[in-house]
Amino acid sequence: MPRGIDRSYHKAKWGQHFLIDDHIIERIVSYADITPTETILEIGGGTGNLTRKLAQLCYRLVVIEADRQLALKLCSIPGIDVLHGDALRVEFPPFDKTVSNLPYQISSEVTFKLLNHPFTCGVLMYQKEFAERMVAAPGTKDYSRLTVCLSYKSKVKVLARVPKTAFNPRPAVDSVIVRLVPTKPRFYVLNDIFFHRFVRALFTQRRKTLRAALMVTAQLLNVQAMDELIAKIPQHCLARRPYEFSPEEIATLSNDSFELHEVQKGSVQEQ
Ligand code: SAM
């Protein structure tokens, strides 16, 4: 096998497909546009193919790796900090950018975890289908809860497709490199936690009419009097499907539902 990668290192549960194409590694690094003062966070260092390049360019490189054997090997790369553990549990250090060929099984959770931290830019590898959901337009089959929640506080751009031949062992799925840039809120949301719960509930009914989807959402989120909100929505909107609404429109529905929820809470407390 190329680059002395021992087959025994391939652990499917950890999504271990190591980048072996130098051109792709160079491209990822150049997209990140790293300056010598920056701290970089890499999630899933693996055998260190990307890690070694990053280490040459930045002020500090912190690598999180779940596989103990690989984490130990990464420690031999001079000048980097290796954190052995699950990226979903390990506390992230402060960082400027993240550059990672992510373990695909944690794509969604780790992306939202990253977005809870301040950073300027992420250059991240995802499974192609996942990235398509990140950037989908309303009304398309890939438009999802992920698209809506990401569009609230970030901008996502697909930069390049990466063939399966760039990895060893070869994965079954195609991959893409994505730029993820955190932003200020791009539309008005009254309550972040409620918004995320609302979007999740609404998209369980993505192909139902808005009227039906709002009724189910009301049950799931314990919002009484949803019929009051429905009565204010024009008929032609109620006949549309949740996946046809823009993130801004969904935020407005969430805000109106949140207000109902708060009024209801207030009236319970008054009693
Ligand atoms: N960066 C390397 C490369 O490009 O060749 C490896 C990328 S490989 C797709 C993903 C890496 O993430 C593997 O080394 C795997 O052991 C590690 N990993 C898997 N799940 C993880 C988790 N929850 N937290 C941290 N690392 C994880």
Side-chain angles (χ1 to χ4, degrees):
M1 291 173 75
R3 303 229 171 171
I5 294 168
D6 178 350
R7 266 259 176 233
S8 62
Y9 268 116
H10 171 56
K11 298 202 178 107
K13 68 170 176 164
W14 277 322
Q16 291 180 349
H17 299 279
F18 304 112
L19 260 176
I20 52 163
D21 183 326
D22 276 336
H23 297 294
I24 300 288
I25 294 172
E26 290 296 344
R27 250 170 118 173
I28 293 174
V29 168
S30 76
Y31 285 137
D33 198 16
I34 297 166
T35 63
T37 57
E38 285 174 331
T39 296
I40 306 296
L41 175 68
E42 185 190 5
I43 293 165
T47 48
N49 299 343
L50 179 58
T51 316
R52 273 181 280 272
K53 296 276 179 205
L54 295 172
Q56 292 163 11
L57 297 169
C58 58
Y59 170 67
R60 181 178 181 219
L61 175 61
V62 181
V63 186
I64 304 176
E65 173 54 61
D67 183 326
R68 203 169 75 88
Q69 268 177 294
L70 291 178
L72 277 172
K73 284 201 163 193
L74 286 165
C75 288
S76 65
I77 301 175
I80 70 167
D81 293 321
V82 180
L83 304 177
H84 168 232
D86 177 350
L88 298 179
R89 289 165 177 263
V90 170
E91 194 179 324
F92 290 172
F95 61 101
D96 298 297
K97 292 178 179 168
T98 173
V99 184
S100 312
N101 172 15
L102 291 173
Y104 294 162
Q105 70 279 10
I106 60 166
S107 293
S108 182
E109 285 158 287
V110 83
T111 302
F112 285 109
K113 178 167 177 183
L114 283 167
L115 287 171
N116 279 331
H117 295 76
F119 65 100
T120 58
C121 169
V123 175
L124 302 163
M125 182 103 72
Y126 290 99
Q127 181 175 338
K128 181 171 148 285
E129 288 74 14
F130 184 87
E132 283 167 353
R133 288 200 286 122
M134 293 172 89
V135 297
T140 62
K141 75 167 175 37
D142 290 323
Y143 186 66
S144 59
R145 175 169 79 91
L146 177 73
T147 329
V148 175
C149 291
L150 283 180
S151 71
Y152 173 36
K153 283 186 187 171
S154 67
K155 284 194 174 168
V156 182
K157 187 171 182 202
V158 174
L159 300 172
R161 191 163 165 179
V162 179
K164 294 171 190 166
T165 50
F167 300 90
N168 187 18
R170 282 189 198 182
V173 294
D174 286 320
S175 302
V176 291
I177 305 166
V178 160
R179 175 172 289 128
L180 175 76
V181 178
T183 63
K184 292 201 177 103
R186 297 172 63 204
F187 41 83
Y188 179 58
V189 166
L190 260 172
N191 181 291
D192 277 25
I193 294 171
F194 187 88
F195 172 67
H196 284 93
R197 291 176 60 216
F198 181 87
V199 178
R200 178 190 286 270
L202 194 72
F203 271 87
T204 62
Q205 312 293 311
R206 72 191 296 280
R207 289 195 168 272
K208 298 277 167 56
T209 61
L210 180 65
R211 178 195 296 277
L214 282 177
M215 289 313 288
V216 174
T217 302
Q219 275 173 12
L220 292 173
L221 302 188
N222 192 24
V223 178
Q224 286 158 26
M226 184 58 97
D227 33 359
E228 280 175 29
L229 174 59
I230 290 177
K232 291 183 196 152
I233 302 175
Q235 279 302 322
H236 68 276
C237 282
L238 289 173
R240 287 166 63 198
R241 320 278 153 172
Y243 80 99
E244 296 170 332
F245 285 81
S246 68
E248 293 84 343
E249 288 175 313
I250 292 174
T252 304
L253 290 167
S254 164
N255 292 341
D256 292 346
S257 304
F258 180 68
E259 277 175 350
L260 277 180
H261 186 254
E262 290 303 283
V263 168
Q264 166 195 321
K265 242 173 51 186
S267 60
V268 170
Q269 276 163 9
E270 270 172 31
Q271 281 164 15

